[in-house]
Amino acid sequence: MTQPLTLLYRDEYLVAVHKPSGLLVHRSKLAGGENEFLLQRLRNQLGQRAYPVHRLDRPTSGVMVMALDAITAARLAAAFREHHVNKRYLAVVRGFGPERERLDYALREEDGSRPKAEMPALEALTEVERLDEIELPVQVDRYPNSRYSLMAVRPVTGRRHQIRRHLAQRGYPIIGDAKHGKGNHNRFFARQLACPRLLLAAVGLGFSHPVDGRHLQLNCGLDATMTALFQRFGWTRHLPDEGVHSRPASPFVST
């Protein structure tokens, strides 16, 4: 029997869930023979329709917010489109990543409609910060030891696969990324550390409620796989809390 989705927040207009790694959000040409999707499961669980307003890649886990009616969906989608939503991710990468940096690499879309080289290059900005690191006495690549980092990531823009592509371009691919990462490190984590998934999790969303204007901060914990890895690496102080914080809308001040 399929486990119910974890609901992080729900009101008359919005619902936020913890999307598991490996679950597609909705049917698409990438679905292949899949017959289970986040939207279908959520609709069955709530007994009503939910409207997606942003994306999470299939292998990425974490917080995803959806609207419960079309008007709210349009408002919230506009907030995402206009970069009025603060997004926070945690990623485990190969190497000792930069202490703090703003990655500014234009990206071409990867929607499959035409060759990527023919797609326009679009502005893409990602802020990264190294929270912790570890060096393992194991030769995975050409060096006798292997280095890994825990990165906090805030995408300013929202291009497809932006975080994965930016970190790979900078030289610090995310562990478990089959397309942009390093196969030998991915296999090491899968076989030796019981981490067969992409080690990227959306842990926070902050935005103004599209109906009442309250500021909502939705925080999402990690799944069992990533939690166990953090415990193994001594990174438990960076485990995100799960919960919701809200504050009243700021009063309008006339000038």
Side-chain angles (χ1 to χ4, degrees):
M1 183 177 176
T2 302
Q3 289 290 324
L5 294 164
T6 299
L7 301 186
L8 303 170
Y9 177 82
R10 184 181 181 184
D11 64 20
E12 183 181 351
Y13 307 99
L14 301 175
V15 62
V17 302
H18 183 167
K19 185 191 90 65
S21 174
L23 183 63
L24 284 165
V25 174
H26 50 69
R27 294 184 186 277
S28 72
K29 58 189 175 183
L30 302 176
E34 294 291 327
N35 54 22
E36 190 174 57
F37 305 92
L38 179 71
L39 282 179
Q40 182 66 44
R41 283 179 56 180
L42 185 59
R43 184 176 71 177
N44 293 342
Q45 187 169 328
L46 299 181
Q48 67 180 111
R49 182 176 178 183
Y51 298 74
V53 296
H54 66 118
R55 293 186 304 225
L56 275 187
D57 295 342
R58 177 178 184 169
T60 304
S61 64
V63 59
M64 189 164 189
V65 64
M66 280 160 278
L68 296 176
D69 64 81
I71 294 174
T72 303
R75 292 174 180 172
L76 193 51
F80 275 92
R81 188 168 58 250
E82 294 162 10
H83 314 311
H84 294 159
V85 179
N86 191 320
K87 295 173 276 189
R88 185 173 187 268
Y89 291 73
L90 292 177
V92 180
V93 306
R94 186 200 66 179
F96 285 179
E99 289 188 8
R100 189 185 294 268
E101 196 166 313
R102 186 178 175 93
L103 307 183
D104 184 358
Y105 307 131
L107 297 173
R108 298 183 188 275
E109 284 293 343
E110 295 181 318
D111 64 1
S113 63
R114 51 181 166 151
K116 191 168 76 170
E118 297 178 7
M119 302 292 279
L122 303 174
E123 179 188 34
L125 301 173
T126 307
E127 296 175 351
V128 300
E129 178 186 1
R130 189 175 78 235
L131 300 179
D132 222 322
E133 64 279 325
I134 190 169
E135 184 166 350
L136 302 179
V138 178
Q139 183 167 359
V140 176
D141 215 325
R142 54 184 172 174
Y143 303 107
N145 292 343
S146 299
R147 294 177 169 183
Y148 303 99
S149 301
L150 173 63
M151 306 296 296
V153 184
R154 190 179 81 85
V156 180
T157 54
R159 308 304 177 197
R160 186 182 296 271
H161 299 166
Q162 176 176 312
I163 296 172
R164 295 158 64 179
R165 294 166 70 187
H166 267 178
L167 283 168
Q169 243 178 303
R170 183 63 176 79
Y172 304 99
I174 300 176
I175 300 301
D177 191 339
K179 185 171 184 179
H180 306 287
K182 297 282 286 184
N184 50 356
H185 292 274
N186 295 348
R187 288 189 292 273
F188 170 68
F189 271 72
R191 296 170 183 174
Q192 304 300 320
L193 300 176
C195 289
R197 56 156 294 185
L198 176 73
L199 296 181
L200 176 65
V203 297
L205 282 178
F207 57 93
S208 294
H209 193 290
V211 177
D212 62 29
R214 284 179 300 130
H215 179 81
L216 284 178
Q217 178 63 45
L218 310 179
N219 298 324
C220 184
L222 300 180
D223 65 11
T225 297
M226 288 191 71
T227 297
L229 182 74
F230 277 42
Q231 292 169 341
R232 183 168 190 163
F233 281 2
W235 293 349
T236 53
R237 64 187 177 279
H238 303 296
L239 285 170
D241 294 327
E242 188 159 287
V244 178
H245 304 281
S246 69
R247 63 174 184 266
S250 299
F252 177 78
V253 179
S254 179
T255 58

